[in-house]
Amino acid sequence: EAQVTQNPRYLITVTGKKLTVTCSQNMNHEYMSWYRQDPGLGLRQIYYSMNVEVTDKGDVPEGYKVSRKEKRNFPLILESPSPNQTSLYFCASSFIWTGVFTEAFFGQGTRLTVV
Amino acid sequence: AQSVTQPDIHITVSEGASLELRCNYSYGATPYLFWYVQSPGQGLQLLLKYFSGDTLVQGIKGFEAEFKRSQSSFNLRKPSVHWSDAAEYFCAVGADGQNFVFGPGTRLSVLP
């Protein structure tokens, strides 16, 4: 089954404790992206990646890191989480090139609470 | 710069009434256009998409959208709203080799 898988689905952590949210897709998509969703603010893009080893900042990259060492994986790293990073996070992936362009496929979301 | 606007933050309609959600975009390339829906506590589900061809596209759950290049718009419509349509709706734009851009969303409330 084609899917984008995020883990964990729920996470409560303490300020300053490094964490990683994983995202994996099994559709061989070049494009992957991370978003955070907060009440009244819609989806805000954190980072995106056009292909392996190619990443770029979105609208709200501060406090986050990403890496794209393999095509299928795009982990989101919070080196020193703070309470203002408490949010709902979504990972997405897609084909974005001529002839194969598709919609963005989303993971189920990760609800992160930083206390 | 690429951008997507959804002028209505929150819309309330009565059940059975018609619905139109607005989406305007500013994009340098020929766009591909999408509408997604997010029900409370859920992830994002694709309602419909426009790639080329007929500018009126049909989607799931009785929704349709019309692409108007001259107005840079891709408005979502439904002739008769059901209570289960209460959700947040996002318009999105993409293009070959370009980043996806999402609008800020429109929250739809449905009155019984």
Side-chain angles (χ1 to χ4, degrees), chain B residues 54-75:
Chain B
D54 192 345
T55 56
L56 183 64
V57 294
Q58 303 297 320
I60 61 172
K61 304 185 180 188
F63 285 92
E64 66 178 27
E66 185 172 13
F67 170 53
K68 293 185 177 180
R69 186 185 299 275
S70 61
Q71 298 176 20
S72 298
S73 69
F74 189 56
N75 294 349

Side-chain angles (χ1 to χ4, degrees), chain B:
Chain B
Q2 308 156 352
S3 68
V4 179
T5 57
Q6 294 179 246
D8 304 305
I9 296 172
H10 183 205
I11 284 182
T12 300
V13 301
S14 297
E15 192 168 19
S18 64
L19 171 71
E20 182 169 28
L21 302 182
R22 295 181 290 165
C23 172
N24 294 95
Y25 64 91
S26 173
Y27 216 77
T30 301
Y32 302 115
L33 299 153
F34 310 88
W35 275 99
Y36 286 82
V37 61
Q38 185 183 31
S39 298
Q42 303 296 311
L44 283 93
Q45 181 182 22
L46 180 72
L47 276 177
L48 48 78
K49 58 188 177 186
Y50 171 78
F51 282 4
S52 64
D54 192 345
T55 56
L56 183 64
V57 294
Q58 303 297 320
I60 61 172
K61 304 185 180 188
F63 285 92
E64 66 178 27
E66 185 172 13
F67 170 53
K68 293 185 177 180
R69 186 185 299 275
S70 61
Q71 298 176 20
S72 298
S73 69
F74 189 56
N75 294 349
L76 182 71
R77 300 194 294 249
K78 186 169 185 179
S80 178
V81 170
H82 187 262
W83 63 267
S84 61
D85 293 324
E88 185 119 25
Y89 292 80
F90 294 95
C91 180
V93 179
D96 287 324
Q98 301 291 320
N99 188 24
F100 269 92
V101 179
F102 281 80
T106 297
R107 183 160 63 91
L108 174 66
S109 298
V110 180
L111 298 175

Side-chain angles (χ1 to χ4, degrees), chain A residues 15-64:
Chain A
T15 299
K17 185 177 181 181
K18 180 179 179 180
L19 67 90
T20 300
V21 183
T22 64
C23 175
S24 180
Q25 49 92 7
N26 62 0
M27 295 168 278
N28 203 35
H29 287 163
E30 304 95 354
Y31 176 90
M32 297 186 76
S33 181
W34 275 104
Y35 302 86
R36 62 176 288 174
Q37 186 176 29
D38 304 289
L41 297 179
L43 287 170
R44 294 184 292 169
Q45 190 176 47
I46 303 170
Y47 272 95
Y48 64 98
S49 170
M50 292 294 192
N51 215 324
V52 176
E53 302 291 2
V54 180
T55 62
D56 217 336
K57 295 178 180 178
D59 300 317
V60 289
E62 295 77 20
Y64 303 94

Side-chain angles (χ1 to χ4, degrees), chain A:
Chain A
E1 180 189 354
Q3 58 186 2
V4 179
T5 303
Q6 293 179 228
N7 279 297
R9 292 287 311 278
Y10 302 91
L11 178 60
I12 301 174
T13 190
V14 296
T15 299
K17 185 177 181 181
K18 180 179 179 180
L19 67 90
T20 300
V21 183
T22 64
C23 175
S24 180
Q25 49 92 7
N26 62 0
M27 295 168 278
N28 203 35
H29 287 163
E30 304 95 354
Y31 176 90
M32 297 186 76
S33 181
W34 275 104
Y35 302 86
R36 62 176 288 174
Q37 186 176 29
D38 304 289
L41 297 179
L43 287 170
R44 294 184 292 169
Q45 190 176 47
I46 303 170
Y47 272 95
Y48 64 98
S49 170
M50 292 294 192
N51 215 324
V52 176
E53 302 291 2
V54 180
T55 62
D56 217 336
K57 295 178 180 178
D59 300 317
V60 289
E62 295 77 20
Y64 303 94
K65 284 177 57 177
V66 293
S67 69
R68 187 89 183 274
K69 294 183 171 56
E70 307 167 280
K71 202 170 190 179
R72 64 183 295 126
N73 296 322
F74 191 44
L76 180 69
I77 303 158
L78 285 72
E79 295 266 359
S80 182
S82 62
N84 64 13
Q85 293 178 298
T86 293
S87 187
L88 178 59
Y89 292 86
F90 286 102
C91 178
S93 73
S94 178
F95 288 121
I96 56 165
W97 299 105
T98 302
V100 294
F101 200 103
T102 63
E103 67 269 25
F105 290 78
F106 281 85
Q108 284 299 100
T110 296
R111 186 164 293 281
L112 172 66
T113 302
V114 183
V115 298

